[in-house]
Amino acid sequence: TGNGRGEYEPDRLLSRAEFTRLAVGSLGVKNVDNYSSYTIFPDVPAGQWASGWVNAAVRHPDFEKNPIIRGLGNGTFGPNNPTTLGEACTMALRMLGYEQKDIGPFWPNDYVAKANALGLLANITVTNPYTAITRGDAAILFRNTLTTDDKEGKSILTRFTGNEIKKDVILLATSDTDSSLNASQVTYYTNPKATEEYPTDEEGNPTEKKVEIKKLVGVIDPSVVGSHGILILDKDDQESVVGFLPDQRTTLHITLERIEPEGLLANDGTGFIYIPRHTPLVVHGNIYSYGEGWTELDEGGVI
């Protein structure tokens, strides 16, 4: 939610209380009022802004068997202490259901090594387990964690959605990018399995397109429209969308010099880009295969 002034402050260090609040919220816990009226750690007294989140990380039913946090050796929590990489990796691994027996006895090195092996540290700028992480690194760590399967091989996003997540989705438009949509609506394409309703051609590609519209109750930045990724549904209302996680595929922006049925020529020296006819193509909120939609593109345009 930022700092209240419309800024995220990616270079500011993240406190242990702030990290805990993000961890608990990331796993679908929305209301911690019932956990804010008592004290577990003496330096996080009842009524303090973080008490509900810190206490929930220990006693919420989702975390009782493997609490996200366990405090410091002297019985305190250190809510204002900067979160180190080792501590962040420990909490992230617990979010995924891992315990010490799964990781190793040597903290924090075993925990950082395990997190790195799982891909949780991809694109993070610090490597020393004792170095404090920034809010920017924390955002990347959470994104990596939310898109990693847990110890049982299940996506932890299902805890947030309460159902199977929608993978392999192409975000087509929101009401901010398509005026034909009602306010707070989102439309997306999901590659359908072969059925009578969605038959396939001789090459096994769907001949019909499964495009859906749902209510948007979260925030999706217009810059990710056209991206491929994961659609996140509301845990309490499966007809509502709370967010979208684009995957980390390589993105290339080019100015089109020539458009042909076989592909595109960029004017930046990239050369001719061959595109298979069945490659999904999103143009102005509509989904095509490249073979049928290449004529919708404009020379001189940017994609």
Side-chain angles (χ1 to χ4, degrees):
T1 56
N3 61 5
R5 301 188 300 273
E7 300 169 332
Y8 181 68
E9 298 181 301
D11 297 324
R12 181 166 68 80
L13 298 182
L14 191 74
S15 72
R16 284 168 53 85
E18 290 173 327
F19 192 98
T20 303
R21 187 261 177 271
L22 290 171
V24 173
S26 292
L27 293 178
V29 177
K30 299 178 181 179
N31 191 322
V32 294
D33 290 347
N34 293 337
Y35 299 91
S36 60
S37 59
Y38 54 88
T39 299
I40 295 179
F41 301 102
D43 54 347
V44 188
Q48 193 218 46
W49 79 264
S51 62
W53 300 103
V54 171
N55 294 345
V58 177
R59 294 189 179 171
H60 191 279
D62 287 353
F63 318 131
E64 277 186 319
K65 292 183 180 180
N66 188 26
I68 296 176
I69 60 170
R70 292 184 183 147
L72 305 177
N74 61 3
T76 63
F77 179 66
N80 297 320
N81 295 353
T83 305
T84 66
L85 179 64
E87 292 169 336
C89 289
T90 300
M91 287 189 265
L93 289 169
R94 288 173 181 163
M95 288 171 64
L96 293 171
Y98 289 96
E99 303 175 61
Q100 180 178 323
K101 63 182 180 181
D102 307 309
I103 302 168
F106 301 109
W107 188 91
N109 291 352
D110 285 348
Y111 287 75
V112 173
K114 180 68 172 179
N116 190 50
L118 291 173
L120 305 187
L121 302 186
N123 299 315
I124 287 180
T125 60
V126 297
T127 57
N128 187 321
Y130 298 98
T131 298
I133 65 170
T134 63
R135 289 164 59 87
D137 277 337
I140 296 171
L141 176 62
F142 274 106
R143 192 220 181 280
N144 293 341
T145 302
L146 289 172
T147 52
T148 299
D149 289 343
D150 66 13
K151 177 183 171 183
E152 305 301 326
K154 300 177 182 178
S155 171
I156 64 170
L157 282 175
T158 57
R159 298 193 205 176
F160 193 92
T161 64
N163 204 335
E164 292 299 318
I165 60 175
K166 286 189 174 292
K167 295 183 178 180
D168 199 25
V169 164
I170 297 175
L171 185 68
L172 299 180
T174 69
S175 55
D176 291 328
T177 65
D178 185 347
S179 59
S180 69
L181 294 175
N182 294 331
S184 300
Q185 279 190 324
V186 60
T187 179
Y188 62 93
Y189 164 80
T190 180
N191 194 21
K193 296 180 180 179
T195 63
E196 290 185 6
E197 184 181 3
Y198 298 102
T200 59
D201 60 20
E202 294 179 355
E203 299 179 13
N205 299 292
T207 57
E208 300 290 337
K209 297 178 177 61
K210 189 174 183 180
V211 176
E212 298 186 19
I213 297 176
K214 289 188 183 293
K215 179 172 62 175
L216 177 62
V217 296
V219 177
I220 295 180
D221 192 279
S223 67
V224 300
V225 167
S227 299
H228 183 281
I230 299 171
L231 197 73
I232 306 174
L233 302 180
D234 192 301
K235 189 173 186 177
D236 301 318
D237 179 7
Q238 294 291 298
E239 294 304 311
S240 296
V241 174
V242 296
F244 177 76
L245 280 177
D247 63 25
Q248 300 187 66
R249 302 184 184 196
T250 300
T251 300
L252 175 67
H253 290 88
I254 63 173
T255 300
L256 301 176
E257 182 173 308
R258 192 170 77 246
I259 303 165
E260 297 183 2
E262 294 78 23
L264 308 169
L265 178 67
N267 72 349
D268 60 358
T270 302
F272 193 82
I273 302 170
Y274 289 93
I275 301 177
R277 289 181 58 80
H278 291 286
T279 301
L281 177 67
V282 179
V283 184
H284 302 308
N286 296 311
I287 182 80
Y288 307 91
S289 65
Y290 182 79
E292 66 181 356
W294 68 275
T295 56
E296 300 293 326
L297 299 173
D298 297 318
E299 291 182 359
V302 178
I303 64 170

